[in-house]
Coordinates of all heavy atoms in Angstrom, one line a residue:
T915 N 18.9 -0.4 10.1 CA 17.9 -1.5 9.9 C 16.6 -0.9 9.3 O 16.1 0.2 9.7 CB 17.6 -2.1 11.2 OG1 18.7 -2.6 11.9 CG2 16.6 -3.4 11.0
D916 N 16.1 -1.6 8.3 CA 14.8 -1.2 7.7 C 13.6 -1.5 8.6 O 13.2 -2.8 8.6 CB 14.7 -1.7 6.2 CG 13.5 -1.2 5.5 OD1 12.8 -0.3 6.0 OD2 13.5 -1.6 4.3
E917 N 13.0 -0.7 9.2 CA 12.0 -1.0 10.2 C 10.7 -1.6 9.6 O 10.1 -2.5 10.1 CB 11.5 0.2 11.0 CG 12.6 0.8 11.9 CD 12.1 2.0 12.6 OE1 10.9 2.3 12.7 OE2 13.0 2.8 13.1
I918 N 10.4 -1.1 8.4 CA 9.2 -1.6 7.7 C 9.4 -3.1 7.3 O 8.5 -3.9 7.4 CB 9.0 -0.7 6.4 CG1 8.6 0.6 6.7 CG2 7.8 -1.4 5.5 CD1 8.4 1.6 5.5
M919 N 10.5 -3.5 6.9 CA 10.8 -4.9 6.4 C 10.8 -5.8 7.6 O 10.6 -7.1 7.5 CB 12.0 -5.0 5.6 CG 11.8 -4.2 4.3 SD 10.4 -4.6 3.3 CE 10.8 -6.3 2.8
H920 N 11.0 -5.3 8.9 CA 11.2 -6.1 10.0 C 10.0 -6.1 11.0 O 10.1 -6.7 12.0 CB 12.6 -5.8 10.8 CG 13.8 -6.1 10.0 ND1 14.3 -5.3 9.1 CD2 14.5 -7.2 10.0 CE1 15.4 -5.7 8.5 NE2 15.5 -7.0 9.0
Q921 N 9.0 -5.5 10.5 CA 7.8 -5.5 11.3 C 7.0 -6.8 11.2 O 7.0 -7.4 10.0 CB 6.9 -4.3 11.1 CG 7.6 -3.0 11.5 CD 6.7 -1.9 11.2 OE1 5.6 -1.9 10.6 NE2 7.1 -0.6 11.5
D922 N 6.2 -7.2 12.1 CA 5.3 -8.4 12.0 C 4.2 -7.9 11.0 O 3.7 -6.9 11.1 CB 4.7 -8.8 13.4 CG 5.8 -9.4 14.1 OD1 6.8 -10.0 13.6 OD2 5.6 -9.3 15.4
I923 N 4.0 -8.7 10.0 CA 3.0 -8.4 9.0 C 1.6 -9.0 9.4 O 1.6 -10.3 9.6 CB 3.4 -8.8 7.6 CG1 4.6 -8.0 7.3 CG2 2.3 -8.5 6.7 CD1 5.1 -8.4 5.9
I924 N 0.6 -8.2 9.6 CA -0.7 -8.7 10.0 C -1.5 -8.7 8.7 O -1.5 -7.7 8.0 CB -1.3 -7.8 11.0 CG1 -0.6 -7.8 12.3 CG2 -2.8 -8.2 11.4 CD1 -0.8 -6.7 13.3
P925 N -2.2 -9.7 8.3 CA -3.0 -9.8 7.1 C -4.0 -8.6 7.2 O -4.7 -8.4 8.1 CB -3.6 -11.2 7.1 CG -3.0 -12.0 8.2 CD -2.4 -11.1 9.1
L926 N -4.2 -7.9 6.0 CA -5.1 -6.9 5.9 C -6.1 -7.3 4.8 O -5.8 -8.0 3.8 CB -4.5 -5.6 5.4 CG -3.5 -5.0 6.5 CD1 -2.8 -3.8 5.8 CD2 -4.4 -4.5 7.7
Y927 N -7.3 -6.8 5.0 CA -8.3 -7.0 4.0 C -8.8 -5.7 3.5 O -8.7 -4.7 4.2 CB -9.6 -7.8 4.6 CG -9.2 -9.1 5.2 CD1 -8.8 -9.3 6.5 CD2 -8.9 -10.2 4.4 CE1 -8.4 -10.5 7.1 CE2 -8.6 -11.5 4.8 CZ -8.3 -11.5 6.2 OH -7.9 -12.8 6.8
A928 N -9.2 -5.6 2.2 CA -9.7 -4.4 1.6 C -10.8 -3.7 2.5 O -10.7 -2.5 2.6 CB -10.3 -4.6 0.2
A929 N -11.6 -4.4 3.1 CA -12.6 -3.8 4.0 C -12.0 -3.1 5.2 O -12.5 -2.1 5.7 CB -13.6 -4.8 4.5
D930 N -10.9 -3.6 5.6 CA -10.2 -3.0 6.7 C -9.6 -1.6 6.4 O -9.5 -0.8 7.3 CB -9.0 -3.9 7.2 CG -9.5 -5.2 7.8 OD1 -10.7 -5.4 8.1 OD2 -8.7 -6.2 7.8
I931 N -9.2 -1.3 5.1 CA -8.5 -0.1 4.7 C -9.2 0.5 3.7 O -8.6 1.2 2.9 CB -7.1 -0.5 4.5 CG1 -6.9 -1.4 3.3 CG2 -6.3 -0.9 5.7 CD1 -5.5 -1.6 2.8
Q932 N -10.6 0.3 3.5 CA -11.3 0.8 2.3 C -11.0 2.4 2.1 O -11.0 2.8 1.0 CB -12.7 0.5 2.3 CG -13.5 1.0 3.5 CD -14.9 0.5 3.4 OE1 -15.4 0.2 2.4 NE2 -15.6 0.3 4.5
E933 N -11.0 3.1 3.2 CA -10.9 4.6 3.1 C -9.5 5.0 2.6 O -9.4 5.8 1.8 CB -11.2 5.2 4.4 CG -12.6 5.2 4.8 CD -13.6 5.8 3.8 OE1 -13.4 6.9 3.4 OE2 -14.6 5.1 3.6
Q934 N -8.5 4.2 2.9 CA -7.2 4.4 2.6 C -7.0 4.1 1.0 O -6.4 4.8 0.3 CB -6.0 3.6 3.4 CG -6.2 4.0 4.8 CD -5.4 3.0 5.8 OE1 -4.7 2.2 5.3 NE2 -5.7 3.2 7.0
L935 N -7.7 2.9 0.6 CA -7.6 2.5 -0.7 C -8.4 3.5 -1.7 O -7.9 3.8 -2.9 CB -8.2 1.1 -0.9 CG -7.4 0.0 -0.2 CD1 -8.2 -1.3 -0.4 CD2 -6.0 -0.1 -1.0
K936 N -9.4 4.2 -1.2 CA -10.2 5.1 -2.0 C -9.3 6.2 -2.5 O -9.6 7.0 -3.4 CB -11.3 5.6 -1.2 CG -12.5 4.6 -1.2 CD -13.7 5.2 -0.5 CE -14.7 4.1 -0.3 NZ -16.0 4.6 0.5
K937 N -8.3 6.6 -1.6 CA -7.4 7.7 -2.0 C -6.7 7.5 -3.2 O -6.1 8.5 -3.9 CB -6.5 8.1 -0.9 CG -7.2 8.7 0.4 CD -6.3 8.9 1.5 CE -7.0 9.4 2.8 NZ -6.0 9.6 3.9
Q938 N -6.4 6.2 -3.6 CA -5.7 5.9 -4.8 C -4.3 6.5 -5.0 O -3.9 6.9 -6.1 CB -6.6 6.1 -6.0 CG -7.8 5.3 -6.0 CD -8.6 5.5 -7.2 OE1 -8.5 6.3 -8.1 NE2 -9.6 4.5 -7.6
F939 N -3.5 6.6 -3.9 CA -2.3 7.0 -4.0 C -1.3 6.0 -4.4 O -0.1 6.2 -4.8 CB -1.7 7.7 -2.8 CG -1.6 6.8 -1.4 CD1 -0.6 5.9 -1.3 CD2 -2.8 6.8 -0.6 CE1 -0.6 5.1 -0.2 CE2 -2.8 6.0 0.6 CZ -1.7 5.2 0.7
A940 N -1.7 4.8 -4.4 CA -1.1 3.6 -5.0 C -2.1 2.5 -5.3 O -3.1 2.4 -4.7 CB -0.1 3.0 -3.9
Y941 N -1.9 1.9 -6.6 CA -2.7 0.8 -6.9 C -2.1 -0.2 -7.8 O -1.0 0.0 -8.3 CB -4.0 1.4 -7.5 CG -3.8 2.1 -8.8 CD1 -3.7 1.5 -10.1 CD2 -3.5 3.5 -8.7 CE1 -3.4 2.2 -11.2 CE2 -3.3 4.2 -9.9 CZ -3.2 3.5 -11.1 OH -2.9 4.3 -12.3
L942 N -2.7 -1.5 -8.0 CA -2.2 -2.4 -8.8 C -2.7 -2.1 -10.3 O -3.9 -2.0 -10.4 CB -2.6 -3.8 -8.4 CG -2.1 -4.3 -7.1 CD1 -2.7 -5.7 -6.9 CD2 -0.5 -4.5 -7.3
S943 N -1.8 -1.8 -11.2 CA -2.2 -1.4 -12.6 C -2.6 -2.6 -13.4 O -3.1 -2.5 -14.5 CB -1.0 -0.7 -13.2 OG 0.0 -1.6 -13.3
G944 N -2.3 -3.8 -13.0 CA -2.7 -5.0 -13.8 C -1.5 -5.5 -14.6 O -1.4 -6.6 -15.1
G945 N -0.3 -4.7 -14.7 CA 0.8 -5.2 -15.3 C 1.7 -6.0 -14.4 O 1.5 -6.2 -13.3
R946 N 2.6 -6.7 -15.0 CA 3.5 -7.5 -14.4 C 5.0 -7.2 -14.9 O 5.3 -6.9 -16.1 CB 3.4 -9.0 -14.9 CG 2.0 -9.5 -14.3 CD 2.2 -10.4 -13.1 NE 0.8 -10.8 -12.5 CZ 0.6 -11.1 -11.3 NH1 1.6 -11.1 -10.5 NH2 -0.6 -11.5 -10.9
G947 N 5.9 -7.3 -13.9 CA 7.3 -7.0 -14.3 C 7.9 -8.3 -14.9 O 7.3 -9.3 -15.2
G948 N 9.2 -8.1 -15.3 CA 9.8 -9.2 -16.2 C 10.0 -10.5 -15.3 O 10.0 -11.5 -15.8
D949 N 9.9 -10.3 -13.9 CA 10.0 -11.5 -13.0 C 8.6 -12.1 -12.7 O 8.4 -13.0 -11.9 CB 10.8 -11.2 -11.8 CG 10.2 -10.1 -11.0 OD1 9.2 -9.5 -11.5 OD2 10.8 -9.8 -10.0
G950 N 7.6 -11.5 -13.3 CA 6.2 -11.9 -13.0 C 5.5 -11.3 -11.8 O 4.3 -11.5 -11.6
C951 N 6.2 -10.4 -11.2 CA 5.7 -9.8 -10.0 C 4.7 -8.6 -10.4 O 5.0 -8.0 -11.4 CB 6.8 -9.2 -9.1 SG 7.7 -10.5 -8.4
P952 N 3.6 -8.4 -9.7 CA 2.8 -7.3 -10.0 C 3.4 -5.9 -9.9 O 4.2 -5.7 -9.1 CB 1.6 -7.5 -9.1 CG 2.2 -8.2 -8.0 CD 3.3 -9.1 -8.5
V953 N 3.0 -5.0 -10.7 CA 3.5 -3.6 -10.8 C 2.5 -2.7 -9.9 O 1.3 -2.8 -10.1 CB 3.6 -3.0 -12.1 CG1 3.9 -1.6 -12.2 CG2 4.5 -3.9 -13.0
I954 N 3.1 -2.1 -8.9 CA 2.4 -1.0 -8.2 C 2.6 0.2 -8.7 O 3.8 0.7 -8.9 CB 2.8 -1.1 -6.6 CG1 2.5 -2.5 -6.0 CG2 2.0 -0.1 -5.9 CD1 2.9 -2.8 -4.6
T955 N 1.5 1.0 -8.9 CA 1.6 2.3 -9.6 C 1.4 3.4 -8.5 O 0.5 3.2 -7.7 CB 0.6 2.5 -10.7 OG1 0.8 1.4 -11.7 CG2 0.7 3.8 -11.4
F956 N 2.2 4.4 -8.6 CA 2.1 5.6 -7.7 C 1.8 6.8 -8.6 O 2.7 7.5 -9.1 CB 3.4 5.8 -6.9 CG 3.7 4.7 -6.0 CD1 4.5 3.6 -6.3 CD2 3.1 4.7 -4.7 CE1 4.7 2.6 -5.5 CE2 3.4 3.7 -3.8 CZ 4.3 2.7 -4.2
P957 N 0.6 7.1 -8.8 CA 0.1 8.2 -9.7 C 0.5 9.6 -9.0 O 0.7 9.6 -7.8 CB -1.3 8.1 -9.8 CG -1.8 7.4 -8.6 CD -0.7 6.5 -8.3
D958 N 0.4 10.6 -9.7 CA 0.6 11.9 -9.2 C -0.5 12.2 -8.1 O -1.7 12.0 -8.4 CB 0.5 13.0 -10.3 CG 0.9 14.3 -9.7 OD1 1.6 14.5 -8.8 OD2 0.4 15.4 -10.3
Y959 N 0.0 12.3 -6.9 CA -1.0 12.7 -5.8 C -0.6 13.7 -5.0 O 0.5 13.7 -4.3 CB -1.1 11.3 -4.9 CG -2.1 11.3 -3.8 CD1 -3.4 11.0 -4.1 CD2 -1.8 11.7 -2.5 CE1 -4.4 11.0 -3.1 CE2 -2.6 11.7 -1.5 CZ -4.0 11.3 -1.8 OH -5.0 11.3 -0.8
P960 N -1.3 14.9 -5.2 CA -0.8 16.2 -4.6 C -0.5 16.1 -3.1 O 0.4 16.8 -2.6 CB -2.0 17.1 -4.9 CG -2.7 16.5 -6.0 CD -2.5 15.0 -5.8
A961 N -1.2 15.3 -2.3 CA -1.0 15.3 -0.9 C -0.1 14.1 -0.5 O -0.3 13.7 0.7 CB -2.3 15.3 -0.2
F962 N 0.6 13.5 -1.4 CA 1.4 12.4 -1.0 C 2.2 12.5 0.2 O 2.3 11.6 1.0 CB 2.3 12.0 -2.1 CG 2.9 10.6 -2.1 CD1 2.2 9.6 -2.5 CD2 4.2 10.4 -1.6 CE1 2.7 8.2 -2.4 CE2 4.7 9.2 -1.5 CZ 4.0 8.1 -1.9
S963 N 3.0 13.7 0.3 CA 3.8 13.8 1.6 C 2.9 13.9 2.9 O 3.5 13.8 4.0 CB 4.6 15.1 1.4 OG 3.8 16.2 1.3
E964 N 1.6 14.1 2.8 CA 0.8 14.2 3.9 C 0.2 12.8 4.4 O -0.6 12.7 5.4 CB -0.3 15.2 3.7 CG 0.3 16.6 3.5 CD -0.7 17.6 3.0 OE1 -2.0 17.3 3.2 OE2 -0.4 18.6 2.5
I965 N 0.5 11.8 3.6 CA 0.0 10.5 4.0 C 0.6 9.9 5.2 O 1.9 9.9 5.2 CB 0.1 9.4 2.8 CG1 -0.7 10.0 1.5 CG2 -0.4 8.1 3.2 CD1 -0.3 9.2 0.3
P966 N 0.0 9.6 6.3 CA 0.7 9.1 7.3 C 1.3 7.8 7.0 O 0.9 6.9 6.2 CB -0.5 8.8 8.4 CG -1.7 9.6 7.9 CD -1.4 9.7 6.4
E967 N 2.5 7.6 7.7 CA 3.3 6.4 7.4 C 2.6 5.1 7.6 O 2.7 4.1 6.7 CB 4.5 6.3 8.3 CG 5.5 5.2 8.0 CD 6.7 5.2 8.9 OE1 7.1 6.3 9.4 OE2 7.3 4.2 8.9
K968 N 1.7 5.0 8.7 CA 1.0 3.7 9.0 C -0.1 3.5 7.7 O -0.2 2.3 7.4 CB 0.1 3.8 10.3 CG -0.5 2.6 10.7 CD 0.5 1.5 10.8 CE -0.2 0.3 11.4 NZ 0.6 -1.0 11.3
E969 N -0.7 4.4 7.2 CA -1.6 4.4 6.1 C -0.9 3.9 5.0 O -1.4 3.0 4.2 CB -2.2 5.8 5.9 CG -3.4 5.7 4.9 CD -4.1 7.0 4.9 OE1 -4.5 7.6 6.0 OE2 -4.3 7.6 3.8
F970 N 0.3 4.5 4.6 CA 1.1 4.0 3.5 C 1.5 2.6 3.6 O 1.4 1.8 2.7 CB 2.4 4.9 3.5 CG 3.2 4.6 2.3 CD1 2.9 5.1 1.0 CD2 4.4 3.9 2.4 CE1 3.8 4.9 -0.2 CE2 5.2 3.7 1.4 CZ 4.9 4.1 0.1
Q971 N 2.0 2.1 4.8 CA 2.3 0.8 5.1 C 1.1 -0.2 4.9 O 1.3 -1.2 4.3 CB 2.9 0.7 6.5 CG 4.2 1.2 6.7 CD 4.6 0.9 8.2 OE1 4.3 1.8 9.1 NE2 5.3 -0.2 8.4
N972 N 0.0 0.2 5.4 CA -1.2 -0.5 5.2 C -1.5 -0.9 3.8 O -1.8 -2.0 3.4 CB -2.4 0.1 6.0 CG -2.4 0.0 7.4 OD1 -1.6 -0.9 8.1 ND2 -3.2 0.7 8.0
V973 N -1.6 0.2 2.9 CA -1.8 0.0 1.5 C -0.8 -0.9 0.8 O -1.2 -1.7 0.1 CB -2.1 1.4 0.9 CG1 -2.1 1.3 -0.6 CG2 -3.3 2.1 1.5
L974 N 0.5 -0.6 1.1 CA 1.6 -1.4 0.4 C 1.4 -2.9 0.9 O 1.6 -3.8 0.1 CB 2.9 -0.9 0.6 CG 3.1 0.5 -0.1 CD1 4.6 0.9 0.0 CD2 2.8 0.3 -1.7
T975 N 1.2 -3.1 2.3 CA 1.1 -4.4 2.7 C -0.1 -5.1 2.1 O 0.1 -6.3 1.6 CB 0.9 -4.4 4.2 OG1 2.0 -3.9 4.8 CG2 0.7 -5.8 4.8
Y976 N -1.3 -4.5 2.0 CA -2.4 -5.0 1.2 C -2.1 -5.4 -0.2 O -2.4 -6.5 -0.8 CB -3.6 -4.1 1.3 CG -4.7 -4.6 0.5 CD1 -5.5 -5.7 1.0 CD2 -5.0 -4.0 -0.7 CE1 -6.5 -6.2 0.2 CE2 -6.1 -4.5 -1.4 CZ -6.9 -5.6 -0.9 OH -7.8 -6.1 -1.8
L977 N -1.5 -4.4 -0.8 CA -1.3 -4.6 -2.3 C -0.3 -5.7 -2.6 O -0.4 -6.4 -3.6 CB -0.8 -3.3 -3.0 CG -1.9 -2.1 -3.1 CD1 -1.2 -0.9 -3.6 CD2 -3.1 -2.5 -3.9
T978 N 0.8 -5.8 -1.8 CA 1.8 -6.8 -1.9 C 1.4 -8.2 -1.5 O 2.0 -9.2 -1.9 CB 3.1 -6.5 -1.4 OG1 2.9 -6.3 0.1 CG2 3.7 -5.2 -1.9
S979 N 0.2 -8.3 -0.9 CA -0.3 -9.6 -0.4 C -1.3 -10.2 -1.4 O -1.7 -11.4 -1.2 CB -0.9 -9.4 0.9 OG -2.2 -8.7 0.9
I980 N -1.8 -9.5 -2.3 CA -2.7 -10.0 -3.4 C -2.0 -10.8 -4.2 O -1.0 -10.6 -4.9 CB -3.4 -8.9 -4.1 CG1 -4.1 -7.9 -3.2 CG2 -4.2 -9.4 -5.2 CD1 -4.6 -6.6 -3.9
P981 N -2.5 -12.1 -4.4 CA -1.8 -13.2 -5.2 C -1.9 -12.8 -6.7 O -2.8 -12.1 -7.2 CB -2.5 -14.4 -4.9 CG -3.7 -14.2 -4.1 CD -3.5 -12.7 -3.7

């Protein structure tokens, strides 16, 4: 079972995770996929493996909730 997809999603605001967003390990590039969904970019980030799972989840939850 994919735990991430089955967790209750609590709405997040940029102000709630501003320090996590400042790291810029993932961001919305402004592009859209063929189906119209936003493209999330994961740039080269030297400490990517050191990002705590909860922090990663928070950023992705926030980015995927932006209309």
Side-chain angles (χ1 to χ4, degrees):
T915 305
D916 186 359
E917 292 179 22
I918 293 173
M919 298 306 292
H920 288 89
Q921 293 179 358
D922 292 330
I923 297 176
I924 299 169
L926 290 173
Y927 301 99
D930 297 335
I931 60 168
Q932 64 182 330
E933 291 303 315
Q934 297 167 15
L935 291 171
K936 285 181 184 178
K937 293 181 181 179
Q938 295 183 346
F939 60 83
Y941 62 89
L942 292 175
S943 61
R946 297 255 176 205
D949 58 359
C951 293
V953 174
I954 297 176
T955 302
F956 295 91
D958 187 27
Y959 188 80
F962 192 82
S963 62
E964 298 171 15
I965 298 168
E967 184 176 340
K968 186 64 178 170
E969 190 171 309
F970 184 78
Q971 284 180 272
N972 286 344
V973 170
L974 287 187
T975 297
Y976 172 73
L977 293 176
T978 57
S979 69
I980 298 172

